[in-house]
Amino acid sequence: MLKSVLRQLYRHKSSSSPENIITTIKSVNSYRITLADPKTRYKHTILIFKYQQINSLIKHRNTLSIVALQHLIEEIKNAGDDLSLKSIVLCGNGPVFSAGHNLKELSIPENQKMIFSLATKLMNTMIDCPIPIIACVDGIAAASGCQLVAASDMAICSNRSSFSTPGVNLGLFCSTPGIPLTRVMSKKTAAYMLFTGTPINAEEALRTGLVSKVVQPEELDDEITKLTILIGQKSRSVIALGKKFFYRQIDENIKLAYKNGEQIMLDNLELNDCKEGLQSFVEKRKPNWSN
């Protein structure tokens, strides 16, 4: 297990400069946001199976620093406001999707409230974003980096990826990462991750609901492209209505959810794109979305 983790940490070289901690690419109707900060290093205790602990110097890459959190909030909000876009892809440059919060920043008392306030704002921005957010993971997602995956609408990962909430090993329980984890995956698996700090692999993440699909590393980009094309063929207004209600009904009583869902379906029928979709079905042609 340890050898596998260490191989992932040193497999790639990052091409990003330290100044460009986030890079973005707009392609057709999708927007790719890539965490690209390889510079911070720190001592971290890795808890591996058989209850053995060893210290290893690892690259604390793609941290959700104060600046990174601010940029993510801004980029996601702007992408959500861009009517030409229908999906957002979150990636990490190199072998670490995100190692979580910047621990050097977090060790400074004056920063702590700001960091967690920004993290909460980011989570709310992701929920409120009208288009789907897809996490693309090829490597390690730890702590709030794992939270970022859990908070995404979908997640595609390579089979060499791993997911962990190791804060308990450092004396800081991953309470906020646990919020989306317990809502998207098995409660028992989430508790196992949170209370032990032990990582789970890609197949475990798929089996317990943390990710949507697992593919070979060389297939990851193609899989993301297929997914963004598939979503791109849908009506943005319909997707936006559906996503908003999806998160609203999750916490509702099931009978109330059905009652509210009834009205949402009626509202959906009033959308021009829904009328066009139904008409295109009758006329046996592809719909021409107005969005």
Side-chain angles (χ1 to χ4, degrees):
M1 175 68 178
L2 176 61
K3 290 181 180 178
S4 174
V5 170
L6 293 178
R7 278 198 301 269
Q8 291 182 54
L9 287 168
Y10 294 101
R11 182 183 293 117
H12 304 293
K13 299 291 183 181
S14 173
S15 59
S16 299
S17 65
E19 291 78 15
N20 297 325
I21 61 172
I22 287 180
T23 62
T24 59
I25 298 175
K26 182 177 180 180
S27 57
V28 191
N29 49 29
S30 186
Y31 195 63
R32 181 175 290 235
I33 303 171
T34 302
L35 295 167
D37 183 11
K39 63 183 179 180
T40 310
R41 295 172 179 265
Y42 78 113
K43 278 282 188 180
H44 179 67
T45 299
I46 299 178
L47 178 64
I48 62 174
F49 296 115
K50 299 182 181 179
Y51 310 103
Q52 179 184 4
Q53 285 189 344
I54 63 174
N55 290 321
S56 177
L57 183 64
I58 71 169
K59 295 179 181 177
H60 193 46
R61 301 178 66 130
N62 299 335
T63 61
L64 298 181
S65 63
I66 291 172
V67 173
L69 287 168
Q70 290 171 333
H71 284 339
L72 279 173
I73 291 166
E74 182 180 5
E75 292 293 347
I76 291 172
K77 188 177 186 307
N78 288 343
D81 291 339
D82 187 337
L83 296 182
S84 71
L85 296 173
K86 296 186 182 180
S87 65
I88 297 170
V89 179
L90 296 180
C91 304
N93 186 20
V96 180
F97 172 77
S98 174
H101 291 304
N102 185 304
L103 297 186
K104 289 185 177 180
E105 288 185 348
L106 197 57
S107 66
I108 301 172
E110 292 79 7
N111 289 338
Q112 293 165 357
K113 184 175 178 60
M114 178 188 295
I115 289 169
F116 292 118
S117 177
L118 285 170
T120 297
K121 186 175 181 180
L122 173 60
M123 296 299 107
N124 288 330
T125 300
M126 293 174 70
I127 292 172
D128 294 338
C129 182
I131 55 179
I133 298 174
I134 307 160
C136 173
V137 184
D138 184 20
I140 294 170
S144 56
C146 185
Q147 178 182 356
L148 198 59
V149 176
S152 297
D153 301 303
M154 289 166 275
I156 310 296
C157 74
S158 69
N159 60 6
R160 62 189 179 190
S161 298
S162 66
F163 306 85
S164 64
T165 50
V168 69
N169 297 333
L170 303 174
L172 181 63
F173 196 86
C174 286
S175 295
T176 47
I179 294 170
L181 280 179
T182 54
R183 283 163 169 76
V184 301
M185 66 188 304
S186 158
K187 177 182 175 182
K188 299 294 189 201
T189 305
Y192 171 80
M193 294 172 65
L194 290 164
F195 287 106
T196 70
T198 305
I200 62 171
N201 62 32
E203 291 301 330
E204 291 172 306
L206 177 63
R207 187 172 67 249
T208 57
L210 179 57
V211 301
S212 312
K213 191 171 184 178
V214 177
V215 298
Q216 296 292 327
E218 62 273 14
E219 298 172 354
L220 187 56
D221 283 342
D222 286 344
E223 191 64 35
I224 291 294
T225 299
K226 290 177 186 176
L227 183 54
T228 57
I229 289 174
L230 192 61
I231 295 171
Q233 294 171 346
K234 310 301 186 286
S235 161
R236 178 186 160 106
S237 58
V238 172
I239 289 288
L241 179 145
K243 177 175 174 177
K244 184 176 181 179
F245 182 67
F246 176 81
Y247 285 103
R248 172 185 165 191
Q249 62 84 26
I250 285 176
D251 295 323
E252 290 180 340
N253 171 275
I254 190 167
K255 290 188 176 180
L256 177 60
Y258 275 122
K259 182 63 178 176
N260 291 333
E262 177 183 334
Q263 184 58 52
I264 289 295
M265 296 297 288
L266 293 172
D267 292 343
N268 197 155
L269 286 166
E270 292 301 312
L271 294 178
N272 289 334
D273 274 352
C274 182
K275 294 175 182 177
E276 163 62 14
L278 295 176
Q279 188 64 31
S280 69
F281 176 79
V282 172
E283 297 175 359
K284 298 180 180 180
R285 59 173 174 82
K286 289 184 178 181
N288 181 22
W289 306 126
S290 63
N291 293 312

